[in-house]
Amino acid sequence: MPAQKSAPPKTASPARPSDLLTKEEHLELLKHLYLARYFDVRLIKEKRRGRLTGTLYSSHNQEAILAGTLYALKSTDWISPIHRDMPAFFMKDLRGKWGQDDRIAMTVEEVCSQVWGRSGSPGRARDNWSHIGSKSGHIIHSTSMLAGTIPVAAGLAYANKLDGGDAVVVTYNGEGSTAQGVFHEAINFAAVHKLPVITIIENNQWAYGTPTHLEYPLEDFARRADGYGIPGWVADGQDVFDVYDKMVAAVEYARTGAGPSIIECKTFRAYGHGDHDDDRAARYRPTDDVNKGRERDPIAVCKRILVEKGMMTQAEAAQYAAEGKGAPQTKDEDFPPEVVEYLKRGVEYAIKSPLPDAAEGAMWVFRETN
Amino acid sequence: MPAQKSAPPKTASPARPSDLLTKEEHLELLKHLYLARYFDVRLIKEKRRGRLTGTLYSSHNQEAILAGTLYALKSTDWISPIHRDMPAFFMKDLRGKWGQDDRIAMTVEEVCSQVWGRSGSPGRARDNWSHIGSKSGHIIHSTSMLAGTIPVAAGLAYANKLDGGDAVVVTYNGEGSTAQGVFHEAINFAAVHKLPVITIIENNQWAYGTPTHLEYPLEDFARRADGYGIPGWVADGQDVFDVYDKMVAAVEYARTGAGPSIIECKTFRAYGHGDHDDDRAARYRPTDDVNKGRERDPIAVCKRILVEKGMMTQAEAAQYAAEGKGAPQTKDEDFPPEVVEYLKRGVEYAIKSPLPDAAEGAMWVFRETN
Amino acid sequence: MSVTADAPATLKKNYLTALKEAIDEEMTQNPNMICIGEDIGILGGAFGVTEGLQAKHGASRVIDAPISEAAICGSAVGMALAGKTVMVEMQFIDFISCGFDQIVNMMATYHYRTAGEVSMPIVLRGPAGAYSGGALYHSQMNEAWFLNSPGIKVICPSTPYDAKGLMKAALRDPNPVLVYEIKNLYRMRDIEEELPEEEYIIPLGKAKIRREGTDITLVTYGQNVYHCLDAAQKLADQGVSAEVIDLRSLNPLDEETIVNSVKKTNRVLVVNEAPRTCGFAGEIVARVNELCFEHLDAPALRLTRMDTPVPWAKPLELHVLPSVDQIVETSLKIVRF
Amino acid sequence: MSVTADAPATLKKNYLTALKEAIDEEMTQNPNMICIGEDIGILGGAFGVTEGLQAKHGASRVIDAPISEAAICGSAVGMALAGKTVMVEMQFIDFISCGFDQIVNMMATYHYRTAGEVSMPIVLRGPAGAYSGGALYHSQMNEAWFLNSPGIKVICPSTPYDAKGLMKAALRDPNPVLVYEIKNLYRMRDIEEELPEEEYIIPLGKAKIRREGTDITLVTYGQNVYHCLDAAQKLADQGVSAEVIDLRSLNPLDEETIVNSVKKTNRVLVVNEAPRTCGFAGEIVARVNELCFEHLDAPALRLTRMDTPVPWAKPLELHVLPSVDQIVETSLKIVRF
Ligand SMILES: Cc1ncc(C[n+]2csc(CCOP(=O)(O)OP(=O)(O)O)c2C)c(N)n1
Ligand SMILES: Cc1ncc(C[n+]2csc(CCOP(=O)(O)OP(=O)(O)O)c2C)c(N)n1
Ligand SMILES: [Mg+2]
Ligand SMILES: [Mg+2]
């Protein structure tokens, strides 16, 4: 019998899952936030220095969503990040594996090569920005068509379940993308077959130039879950631990065969839709709203909790002051050196990676033989 | 502010709307059930007599949905019936207008001409079966693509509202069709703009050869409404008065600007998907289920209520015994003569109506000038 | 015709059975294969192509999907990503429009986007074609949409033998293959034929000369093969020898067979039932022109559906579709150019 | 070039402004017109084509729709049914695949299905075209899908003057018109031009000869117009006189201008940037062949995108798209045939 109620089930764990994390893990989560933030800052700086072209879709202020969800996954799980989730590509499988990149789904070198459009990217720069992935690393390759990987996730989950696997498949979507028909078709299908598909809704209050009330009639996009009788959690997208808690619940729900669920993470888009939109966004978004939306920097929130939990001193928290700043104001010194080092390695690799050969443009339209 | 709750609002009326109908109206509703039933019976007989080709999608056992919903509409309202709703085309605007066909959206002659594929049909037999409509009669012309008219309905409702009209737009859909992406996109759009769009879900337990539990994870398809924060009523599709009551509520809700809603009408498909499927359906549907599903014939239910309400005697109720029979077992004598006469007129007209000229096949691809 | 003892008519199989056997054999041999579509399991498909498949291979491998073409096509991509071979049935090929984006943008490009890392062994198939009173949405031949969308192979068998052999090849191809099954041929008696007992495969991309001729080449596929064969017979009565090429596979295309024929006949008429503008008939005309212009003694012409939808009523439908008489007439025009 | 006092440079307008003016003027004149699309109101469109429109005409006539292409296209049909003229913006023409069914099956056929009772005055428009590093989903020219779907007109202007005049004609046409706006031209300085003060309309279906010539006809549209003009210049340097026809409107098609030119030059090369197979370039080749075969001194050829998606990295992208050099080279091949 399919579930008849859509209220989020209680997790089996008595305590909050995040409370069960060790001090090292708490600190590692903060490091992941730094990593994601620095990726963004670094790219913006590279672009200003003229070393990078193309559009940047900033994940600034939304990093806790990526860090918190990915931290609850196993490497056999699949993910499908979209344009605003670039750090997810190198952060998948990073839990407990810092410095062991060979066991990671996608290296930062690969991700940076993708950003730079070089042959070092797995897709050999055939498609751009976040349209990257890895079959072996269990990352779905998205098209530009929003919500387009949700049915792919459902099919993957179906096949994996059929083969006795326990993989969970996670797609990331902006709140605006949930208006796509394919969102409905795929989640409906996943709900019918109780597939382990988790749909993350990054509700950053805007879909390009359109505010949420023109996209959906309700306040909480998680309520979309109610139409399928599946759990729809709302997480504080600024709080990596709250995101992690909800994700642990969703993963457990999925892995035990209960079916798909939705997690809406409330956040706020820090900049323009892409950096090409920064100037216009300053006009179409009320300044007060922007200031309010950026008040709770996920790095600051994380630090405060670490201090509260006694896992960090105030002084330690103050050491790297990346939070609450725009990219131009942020300096390398605001990040732990190993974070800067990590990303730098990726960027340098990418810049040195050659462009693909022209003739490759005509290759791989079809696979020749089996 | 958009509605935050999805519980169906109370209607303003204190009593059940159907209790406010006069005796004549009660009896008229029964006549509409006879009309719909006889249309079906007649077509099946015409086909057996070899006077008709093509596939018939029977509305047998589902007539109360059409009669009950249409009875709550004004002629300025729009409808969009689908394959299983053929009687809706001539029943629209029929309330209180028996014998005044010129003021009716679409005449029975036109509808029968459509079934026969003759030039007397408004579309001049360019498209088939239920793919008919009338701009002046306010009936949307559907394609075959299920749920495809819901966005059209939303656009119509939008434009009408913009122009200060108070028209409500009603689409009819099988429960299986609600899995289409366009259902989601259109209802989401309608909910954002509080458009007067009513989505009728005829839940007849089967979508061709697929039972409901493979189409949707929940028992009540009305729960799809919850994902949009709009009302989702469940009506007893065998009881024309219950359908009417829910429809009056939905119409009032729509007409007062509160927005879209969904009414799921529980019913059961009496025969195969189309008559070509009768034999196979007998194999894929458990006999017990079929017998149970057909237990409550809407004509019988209606009569029982009329008798209970003292609007009909047992003897009067027994006069025309169309209920509880298959088409082959049903005789003209089982219907009021004016019902038989009415449809007969349509059929005879259709049969005499010529086929369209071949050359018309190349016409009207484009409209020549404005 | 009376049936003799040593040629039992029962061994002859129709086009639909041939398809069914191909799918069933592949499902049996390939445990990694999944079928998904609307009403393909419990019902066995609107036309019965998958009849018995679910009972034999289980409901988890023969999936009765919700009426969600986009989710069906998209989930097939996910299954392929997980290593499956997937057969997707469109109840009518016309409904493919509802899954369009997932096919042209997600599925067809996946191999390309990943520079070869991922392959997409997916067969999309469904009943197609007009001349059957199906009207606008149960008559389409919309192959041009997909032929203009790089990354999808397209085939269209016209005989039971080809249907089986090509379907098996499609189900073993590592790329998306779209199969236009001609619903008018599913149960057509005239074309029933005995199929080999032993397994056989017909590689994609090989045309078949259905009738040899020397004066004009008729290039076609699908049910127009039969119209062309009828026309060739009528032309023969008038002393014109027409060669009939059944393309069978549109992409990959067997240009060699076409060119060789044109070199012999020096005249071409292409016949199909899709809308004219940007249809595959025009594509063949363009290719003939590119590949063997100097061998043409007359313009390569095409006979297609008019640029209209397929209307319902018989006179309307026949008016917009190519007919045997038109093929004869146009062939004569070309021959007498 | 220095600006003289009597030719103020400020009067020159770009392609984007021309489109914006056309839409704004029609919105002003036609109170029954509605615009709908993603981010067209508050933002004014991803490229700014609708900038200022919502402030001027109100949020109820310039609708910021949810990201729902099917609902957008379908609701446009409903609005048209209610008597409205509708302008639909696709944020990129590539996303039209997500509204495909509503366009080809619902909108395009509505007039036909109702035997003329209902008309569909809808303009679907959006930025299109490659050569800009947009990769697979921000580069498409997918016009062939719609040219093979009867009931939709298709245009593709290449200059500010044409953009405005054709857009106004499209917005007054009672049929669905799909407009491929070339995003690379939106703000291109070189093509800015003064536009007439007074209102003007360019009827759909008239091609424009951009350069006269006698040795070969280059038939093209969109940004390849400029590639062909550059090539014509280079050809002139080599003594070959090329005529360049900018189709502007693909359906209806100005066959007369093409045929007249071919009768003069006896040679044709068709250039576009869509995938080759079943693309509109092949269609033109087929028509030339049908209409004036006897005037051809060499095969009518086409230069198109290869049958690949549009890849991202510049060398890859340029490899699969037609270039000025290729146009020159192929033209010479044809001329020397
Ligand atoms: C099907 C489709 N339609 C339109 C677009 C163009 N587009 C790209 S991003 C975007 C806004 C997305 O908003 P949201 O989903 O909220 O994600 P965010 O960018 O806010 O993270 C739009 C409309 C697209 N990529 N795909
Ligand atoms: C988009 C689309 N996909 C598939 C079909 C084929 N089809 C026609 S009717 C039908 C079943 C419809 O079931 P339901 O919506 O429950 O309506 P019912 O026939 O039961 O009244 C299907 C799958 C179609 N018409 N349109
Ligand atoms: Mg957003
Ligand atoms: Mg049903």
Side-chain angles (χ1 to χ4, degrees), chain D:
Chain D
M1 207 182 87
S2 69
V3 177
T4 63
D6 49 13
T10 47
L11 280 187
K12 288 202 170 179
K13 287 174 179 161
N14 65 21
Y15 183 95
L16 186 140
T17 305
L19 292 166
K20 192 200 307 237
E21 285 187 2
I23 298 165
D24 186 21
E25 285 176 22
E26 293 301 305
M27 279 294 277
T28 305
Q29 286 178 41
N30 180 356
N32 256 331
M33 183 176 150
I34 294 180
C35 298
I36 184 167
E38 292 155 18
D39 312 302
I40 64 169
I42 296 172
L43 175 69
F47 286 88
V49 175
T50 57
E51 211 152 53
L53 223 56
Q54 190 178 71
K56 186 164 167 191
H57 303 285
S60 56
R61 285 182 63 208
V62 181
I63 308 167
D64 275 321
I67 308 175
S68 303
E69 284 77 10
I72 291 170
C73 297
S75 66
V77 171
M79 292 171 188
L81 195 53
K84 301 292 175 191
T85 294
V86 195
M87 185 284 271
V88 173
E89 173 171 307
M90 290 284 125
Q91 193 156 95
F92 284 82
I93 212 68
D94 313 56
F95 303 135
I96 205 166
S97 55
C98 296
F100 194 71
D101 172 63
Q102 287 290 323
I103 299 170
V104 300
N105 285 319
M106 178 66 79
M107 188 190 296
T109 61
Y110 217 119
H111 189 67
Y112 188 82
R113 288 184 278 131
T114 61
E117 185 194 4
V118 177
S119 29
M120 285 283 130
I122 299 173
V123 168
L124 293 158
R125 45 159 290 278
Y131 298 100
S132 52
L136 288 86
Y137 310 114
H138 292 74
S139 302
Q140 295 180 12
M141 284 297 287
N142 46 33
E143 67 273 18
W145 296 339
F146 303 97
L147 290 160
N148 191 247
S149 304
I152 317 172
K153 297 185 175 181
V154 179
I155 64 175
C156 181
S158 72
T159 68
Y161 180 84
D162 285 359
K164 183 167 180 182
L166 289 168
M167 181 60 77
K168 285 179 72 92
L171 287 166
R172 294 178 187 194
D173 199 285
N175 300 289
V177 183
L178 178 50
V179 189
Y180 286 82
E181 299 174 1
I182 304 300
K183 62 175 146 347
N184 267 355
L185 302 181
Y186 273 153
R187 296 172 194 280
M188 186 177 276
R189 275 296 174 82
D190 293 355
I191 67 166
E192 286 179 4
E193 58 188 331
E194 286 184 38
L195 302 182
E197 283 290 314
E198 61 286 1
E199 177 165 79
Y200 69 100
I201 300 275
I202 301 175
L204 308 187
K206 298 265 171 260
K208 178 106 188 162
I209 296 176
R210 295 273 171 223
R211 178 183 174 124
E212 304 222 0
T214 51
D215 299 333
I216 184 169
T217 302
L218 303 178
V219 180
T220 188
Y221 52 97
Q223 57 194 325
N224 289 109
V225 167
Y226 299 100
H227 300 151
C228 285
L229 287 171
D230 287 354
Q233 191 52 51
K234 291 196 175 182
L235 285 165
D237 296 345
Q238 303 191 44
V240 173
S241 164
E243 178 144 308
V244 178
I245 297 179
D246 178 357
L247 291 177
R248 306 198 295 190
S249 170
L250 314 192
N251 182 6
L253 179 68
D254 185 352
E255 292 182 342
E256 195 186 331
T257 296
I258 300 171
V259 169
N260 286 342
S261 180
V262 174
K263 284 185 180 163
K264 180 172 67 173
T265 64
N266 311 115
R267 290 172 156 86
V268 193
L269 174 63
V270 189
V271 184
N272 78 353
E273 53 167 302
R276 187 176 192 77
T277 300
C278 285
F280 195 60
E283 175 64 28
I284 298 286
V285 168
R287 294 218 193 173
V288 163
N289 200 69
E290 283 158 8
L291 298 168
C292 45
F293 176 77
E294 61 277 28
H295 295 280
L296 287 176
D297 287 346
L301 296 184
R302 55 183 162 163
L303 258 176
T304 68
R305 191 209 302 171
M306 288 180 187
D307 275 328
T308 71
V310 178
W312 178 33
K314 209 76 208 159
L316 304 178
E317 186 186 26
L318 293 179
H319 182 70
V320 306
L321 290 167
S323 67
V324 173
D325 286 350
Q326 281 175 322
I327 300 171
V328 171
E329 200 179 294
T330 314
S331 297
L332 290 175
K333 205 173 91 184
I334 295 173
V335 170
R336 292 170 188 155
F337 182 81

Side-chain angles (χ1 to χ4, degrees), chain B residues 21-34:
Chain B
L21 295 172
T22 64
K23 179 178 169 186
E24 285 65 39
E25 289 167 334
H26 275 81
L27 293 171
E28 194 182 27
L29 270 169
L30 175 60
K31 186 141 81 184
H32 288 189
L33 295 181
Y34 278 126

Side-chain angles (χ1 to χ4, degrees), chain B residues 60-109:
Chain B
H60 192 113
N61 202 43
Q62 304 188 198
E63 299 92 343
I65 303 172
L66 304 178
T69 53
L70 293 168
Y71 214 69
L73 296 178
K74 301 198 293 186
S75 63
T76 45
D77 294 329
W78 287 78
I79 63 167
S80 167
I82 46 135
H83 56 285
R84 207 168 295 293
D85 309 316
M86 285 308 289
F89 291 99
F90 60 82
M91 278 164 58
K92 179 175 191 280
D93 303 351
L94 208 57
R95 179 174 179 166
K97 286 187 191 161
W98 184 263
Q100 307 168 47
D101 286 5
D102 53 323
R103 291 165 58 198
I104 279 172
M106 206 167 268
T107 65
V108 72
E109 286 83 356

Side-chain angles (χ1 to χ4, degrees), chain B residues 287-328:
Chain B
T287 316
D288 281 358
D289 289 8
V290 174
N291 290 340
K292 185 148 174 298
R294 294 181 54 174
E295 234 167 39
R296 295 176 60 244
D297 188 307
I299 294 177
V301 171
C302 180
K303 281 184 185 173
R304 186 176 45 68
I305 292 169
L306 288 178
V307 171
E308 275 167 20
K309 286 190 172 184
M311 291 170 171
M312 204 177 217
T313 63
Q314 289 279 13
E316 280 166 347
Q319 189 178 3
Y320 303 114
E323 65 269 26
K325 298 176 181 167

Side-chain angles (χ1 to χ4, degrees), chain B residues 83-84 144 146 174-177 204 206-207 273, chain C residues 38 69 91 95:
Chain B
H83 56 285
R84 207 168 295 293
S144 280
L146 296 167
E175 87 294 337
S177 310
N204 63 3
W206 288 85
H273 173 59
Chain C
E38 292 154 17
E69 284 78 8
Q91 193 156 93
F95 303 134

Side-chain angles (χ1 to χ4, degrees), chain A residues 62 84 174-177 202-208 212 269:
Chain A
Q62 304 188 197
R84 207 167 296 293
E175 87 294 338
S177 311
E202 304 166 346
N203 182 355
N204 63 2
Q205 312 304 323
W206 287 85
Y208 210 152
T212 49
R269 197 184 77 203

